[in-house]
Amino acid sequence: MVKKLFFIATLLYIGATVSAENYLVKSPDGKIVAELNTNKYLSLQFKYNGSILLQESSIGVTLNDGMDMGKNPKVASHKLSNHKETIHAPFYRQQNFETGYQELNLKLKNGFGIILRAYDEGVAYRFYTQRKGKTIILNETAAYQFGKDKKAWLPYTTTPEKPFAMAFQNVYHETRLDTAKQDLAFLPATIDCGKAKVTILESDLEKYPGMWLKANSSEQDQEKGILRAAFAPYPKEMAYYPWRHMSHVKSAHDYIAVSSGKRNYPWRIFAITEHDTQMPTNNLVYALAAPNKIGDTSWIKPGKVAWDWWNDWNLKGVDFKAGINFETYKYYIDFAHNHGLEYIVLDEGWYNSKEGSILKPIDDIQLPKLIEYGKSKNVDIVLWAVFNVMDENLETICKTYADMGIKGFKVDFMDRDDQTAIEMVERLAACTAKHHLILDLHGIYKPHGLNRTYPNILNYESVFGMEECRWTEAKNDMPLYDVTFPYIRMMAGQVDFTPGAMRNGTRDNWKAIYTKPISMGTRCHQAACYIVQDSPFTMLADTPTNYEADEPYTRYIASLPVIFDKTIVPQGEIGKYIVTARKKGNDWYVGGQSNWDERKLTLKFDFLAAGDYEAIVLKDGINANHDAEDYKIEKYDIHQNSEMKIHLASGGGFVIKLIKK
């Protein structure tokens, strides 16, 4: 009888109208408290160790019929619950991780609801609807209030005149919120709130446009330090550019999303980090994404890639004309085989991209013969393609090339994140997985956890990567960016940065050369990319003959793993330097990078297990400030109580392989 009464009381608690206006959730460690207010407008605020990080901020959804679900919200029921999860994460920065949270499910009388969670790593919320029929969302509103004096790192659109049509590649603008530009900024973005940093991200972006942010939309916003959400409108009419058969939005509706029936909307995430070293390993985006939809992942093979485009096919000393032909790619395959690389990529040019004739490889590459030669050398081939070209004949393309022996696609030039763009990527992920093809998503918006849902997605671009060295300006300080984006962008997921430059420039002598590109910073700075960056499908971007001219260095970077069992960041500071350590089996790999400031670090190895290790250290040479290609390799004996002094040149770096004896 007692149990029955308790059950009835619980139902009343969940199902009855609730009069309270404020609802709280707390993180398992008690440091984070998030509060949802339902008085007049739906609003959110949260604290960290008693300090307010996000001040009361209105949130909601407006429908095209005029209903504002966040205005005068009437609560139908609420439920508070606690959860723990162990998440399997293949090809992520660690194989598994545990997480826990407290969750509030607040159901409203207008057919909508909101789920609010507090993790030790931050706060997340999402809206959902239980309505039947078609729902057209005019706008999702969010006015995140941080305070005008707060410092922020914002990556702005590169096309202010058409802000939603861009490649999601820009450096971070470090600014106070009240002096920030009014241009739209894409996610992720970080705000320094004093006691902790807050990074705004999103996850589980199914059939819904990506979120953007805008500062200083009004004088009131400037005074309060408000970042307002913005979204690309739903496309009405598409058109094609005359090159690459690329589609683009010609005109759009006045609403942002369309759906039918019950559904969840994307997670809005505030990752909270007291220390900068916590930022690169924040797992909220992955944890909040939809679980694996493809089942078995044993066929998915991460790896390193010999790549053609960045080095402009610049083979030297060969007895054939280098270019997009069989002889050139045979050389790339031989190089990959000789250095233990798993793949080569055939980038733009293997089919007539202007016509979009992706099912007709050009004769010069002899693709079937090339695939067979690759198989004989245990080197697989990945093909470049344009997103919409793939999508327009998706099943046929996937089946044709999978049957031929191709192992995946590097898909390029999405350059938008409206709802139909998101849906296109979902189709590509599902169809390629069906045919056991991997994906490298280039020219695309930031990751939002889709690599958890479809683990065949091994990489994303959305980063100001090495390709920029072919045309950018020195003011776009890449060593600064290289020690900034791992703290911000990598919270969202892995990066297709395409490292490995063998022509390296100092701050004084670097210049952009399109046909023979040079990286900013030292050769060891480049090597460290392979450890600092989450990148399970990563390029050796330079030409094979440049690598072959320096075998000790090339064999060193070629031997570095691309997936790991554990990742930590022992030391670092955003915009200054970073040191990352990754465990693979019994061994560890440590990589560090600096901005243009020369610096000395003391490394501790207390993360090692007991026992002896051989440390093989790749570090800047004594003359690396003058000649960025100067480096040396040294060996030491190391154990968990050891310390190592290491010098980083201007724009420098290092890598240490710690091999368990």
Side-chain angles (χ1 to χ4, degrees):
M1 182 65 181
V2 173
K3 288 183 178 179
K4 185 176 181 181
L5 288 172
F6 175 78
F7 178 67
I8 294 171
T10 302
L11 287 178
L12 289 171
Y13 167 74
I14 294 172
T17 301
V18 179
S19 60
E21 295 178 347
N22 298 318
Y23 303 85
L24 302 180
V25 291
K26 296 181 180 180
S27 61
D29 64 9
K31 293 182 178 181
I32 298 171
V33 179
E35 179 180 328
L36 199 62
N37 187 289
T38 59
N39 180 25
K40 294 184 179 179
Y41 288 92
L42 197 62
S43 66
L44 174 69
Q45 68 175 10
F46 53 79
K47 299 177 181 179
Y48 179 78
N49 280 339
S51 295
I52 295 177
L53 303 184
L54 182 74
Q55 300 171 38
E56 190 170 342
S57 302
S58 62
I59 54 176
V61 169
T62 305
L63 305 187
N64 72 326
D65 62 8
M67 192 204 87
D68 184 346
M69 61 81 66
K71 186 177 181 181
N72 296 317
K74 305 298 181 184
V75 177
S77 68
H78 72 282
K79 181 180 179 181
L80 198 64
S81 56
N82 297 295
H83 304 263
K84 290 183 179 180
E85 290 184 89
T86 298
I87 295 176
H88 180 52
F91 322 118
Y92 188 54
R93 60 177 71 107
Q94 66 264 334
Q95 291 298 306
N96 301 280
F97 64 91
E98 294 183 355
T99 189
Y101 56 90
Q102 187 173 77
E103 177 182 285
L104 169 71
N105 187 338
L106 195 71
K107 189 182 296 184
L108 303 177
K109 291 184 175 181
N110 55 20
F112 281 82
I114 182 171
I115 297 172
L116 176 65
R117 290 181 181 177
Y119 292 78
D120 289 346
E121 292 183 290
V123 173
Y125 72 90
R126 78 185 317 173
F127 298 114
Y128 64 89
T129 184
Q130 296 181 310
R131 290 185 162 204
K132 298 178 181 179
K134 190 175 184 179
T135 300
I136 299 178
I137 296 180
L138 188 65
N139 194 23
E140 180 183 336
T141 56
Y144 301 139
Q145 183 181 175
F146 293 99
K148 69 176 183 178
D149 60 337
K150 300 301 187 291
K151 183 166 69 173
W153 287 261
L154 301 175
Y156 292 115
T157 177
T158 54
T159 56
E161 68 287 350
K162 206 175 179 184
F164 298 112
M166 52 89 69
F168 302 86
Q169 296 166 222
N170 203 356
V171 296
Y172 290 95
H173 186 68
E174 189 176 331
T175 178
R176 272 179 36 147
L177 285 179
D178 60 334
T179 58
K181 294 194 296 183
Q182 292 185 350
D183 293 346
L184 286 178
F186 54 93
L187 299 185
T190 295
I191 299 90
D192 188 344
C193 298
K195 295 293 184 180
K197 290 184 175 71
V198 175
T199 301
I200 303 173
L201 305 114
E202 57 187 346
S203 186
D204 204 15
L205 196 62
E206 182 182 0
K207 296 180 175 62
Y208 201 87
M211 177 184 278
W212 298 62
L213 297 171
K214 186 176 183 180
N216 300 324
S217 297
S218 66
E219 289 186 11
Q220 184 183 37
D221 283 7
Q222 184 177 31
E223 183 63 28
K224 293 184 176 182
I226 290 175
L227 289 169
R228 288 193 181 271
F231 300 86
Y234 194 95
K236 180 187 296 184
E237 184 181 5
M238 303 300 292
Y240 289 93
Y241 291 119
W243 61 91
R244 299 191 181 102
H245 193 67
M246 287 165 50
S247 64
H248 64 96
V249 178
K250 184 177 180 180
S251 63
H253 294 280
D254 61 356
Y255 50 84
I256 67 168
V258 181
S259 63
S260 297
K262 299 178 181 180
R263 67 155 296 175
N264 293 321
Y265 296 106
W267 285 105
R268 308 295 170 216
I269 300 171
F270 304 91
I272 299 172
T273 47
E274 185 175 355
H275 306 290
D276 289 357
T277 51
Q278 299 169 324
M279 297 174 74
T281 56
N282 186 287
N283 295 317
L284 283 180
V285 170
Y286 195 95
L288 286 160
N292 180 347
K293 286 185 177 180
I294 70 174
D296 175 43
T297 61
S298 62
W299 58 270
I300 300 171
K301 184 174 74 173
K304 286 198 177 67
V305 189
W307 185 34
D308 52 2
W309 179 87
W310 190 81
N311 59 73
D312 207 32
W313 298 267
N314 275 322
L315 296 177
K316 295 180 288 190
V318 297
D319 58 1
F320 55 86
K321 187 174 181 180
I324 304 173
N325 55 49
F326 177 83
E327 292 81 5
T328 297
Y329 289 120
K330 179 176 179 291
Y331 197 101
Y332 277 76
I333 288 171
D334 288 340
F335 167 73
H337 170 74
N338 292 336
H339 293 84
L341 310 183
E342 291 81 1
Y343 295 97
I344 71 165
V345 165
L346 274 59
D347 213 286
E348 184 170 16
W350 69 271
Y351 72 90
N352 187 329
S353 55
K354 186 175 181 180
E355 294 179 357
S357 52
I358 191 171
L359 289 167
K360 297 178 181 178
I362 64 170
D363 293 338
D364 286 350
I365 61 171
Q366 302 178 58
L367 186 57
K369 181 180 176 182
L370 192 67
I371 294 168
E372 286 306 311
Y373 185 75
K375 286 181 180 178
S376 74
K377 296 291 185 176
N378 200 31
V379 176
D380 289 318
I381 295 175
V382 169
L383 300 176
W384 174 94
V386 173
F387 274 98
N388 64 277
V389 172
M390 283 280 293
D391 188 55
E392 288 164 10
N393 200 1
L394 185 55
E395 174 64 28
T396 299
I397 292 168
C398 289
K399 186 177 189 313
T400 298
Y401 286 111
D403 290 348
M404 195 181 291
I406 290 299
K407 295 301 180 182
F409 285 93
K410 173 184 175 180
V411 197
D412 206 351
F413 293 109
M414 171 57 75
D415 294 355
R416 57 191 181 92
D417 69 346
D418 55 70
Q419 180 179 327
T420 63
I422 304 299
E423 291 170 338
M424 186 190 299
V425 177
E426 292 169 0
R427 288 193 296 270
L428 262 66
C431 191
T432 51
K434 172 185 172 183
H435 292 280
H436 285 195
L437 296 165
I438 63 169
L439 279 176
D440 174 16
L441 302 179
H442 212 68
I444 194 172
Y445 46 83
K446 81 285 173 194
H448 56 85
L450 196 64
N451 53 301
R452 180 184 179 190
T453 315
Y454 294 97
N456 59 311
I457 300 175
L458 288 179
N459 227 342
Y460 280 81
E461 191 182 20
S462 187
V463 68
F464 196 81
M466 275 278 293
E467 67 179 49
E468 301 289 339
C469 286
R470 296 185 72 172
W471 53 69
T472 195
E473 301 176 54
K475 68 179 182 179
N476 290 324
D477 185 335
M478 292 198 70
L480 169 63
Y481 181 76
D482 294 349
V483 295
T484 302
F485 85 78
Y487 294 97
I488 302 174
R489 162 62 180 80
M490 266 181 16
M491 283 198 202
Q494 56 262 53
V495 293
D496 189 18
F497 185 86
T498 67
M502 296 296 283
R503 288 163 54 86
N504 316 110
T506 66
R507 192 171 198 169
D508 294 330
N509 65 22
W510 178 87
K511 60 180 178 179
I513 303 175
Y514 189 83
T515 55
K516 296 185 75 173
I518 305 170
S519 72
M520 295 187 197
T522 70
R523 184 166 293 179
C524 291
H525 184 100
Q526 283 291 297
C529 292
Y530 294 101
I531 302 301
V532 170
Q533 298 168 9
D534 297 327
S535 192
F537 182 83
T538 193
M539 311 293 170
L540 268 68
D542 219 316
T543 180
T545 51
N546 281 351
Y547 288 121
E548 290 165 341
D550 189 350
E551 282 291 342
Y553 177 87
T554 300
R555 294 201 176 276
Y556 190 100
I557 63 172
S559 70
L560 299 172
V562 296
I563 56 169
F564 301 89
D565 303 322
K566 184 178 181 180
T567 299
I568 60 174
V569 180
Q571 55 179 297
E573 184 177 349
I574 186 170
K576 294 185 177 180
Y577 76 103
I578 187 169
V579 177
T580 301
R582 300 185 189 263
K583 186 175 186 286
K584 178 74 171 178
N586 293 322
D587 304 327
W588 282 82
Y589 300 83
V590 183
Q593 292 176 305
S594 178
N595 58 13
W596 281 124
D597 294 334
E598 188 176 359
R599 67 182 71 246
K600 293 181 180 179
L601 299 178
T602 299
L603 304 179
K604 296 183 179 182
F605 299 95
D606 50 3
F607 51 83
L608 296 177
D612 296 325
Y613 293 77
E614 180 184 43
I616 308 169
V617 184
L618 175 73
K619 62 182 182 179
D620 295 324
I622 195 169
N623 295 307
N625 284 335
H626 177 70
D627 179 357
E629 296 171 11
D630 184 34
Y631 75 92
K632 56 184 176 180
I633 298 176
E634 297 177 340
K635 294 183 180 181
Y636 304 92
D637 289 329
I638 291 291
H639 52 80
Q640 64 182 194
N641 296 318
S642 299
E643 289 188 357
M644 181 184 293
K645 306 286 186 183
I646 196 158
H647 171 261
L648 282 74
S650 172
F654 70 88
V655 178
I656 305 172
K657 293 195 284 188
L658 294 157
I659 309 302
K660 188 80 159 40
K661 291 186 177 181

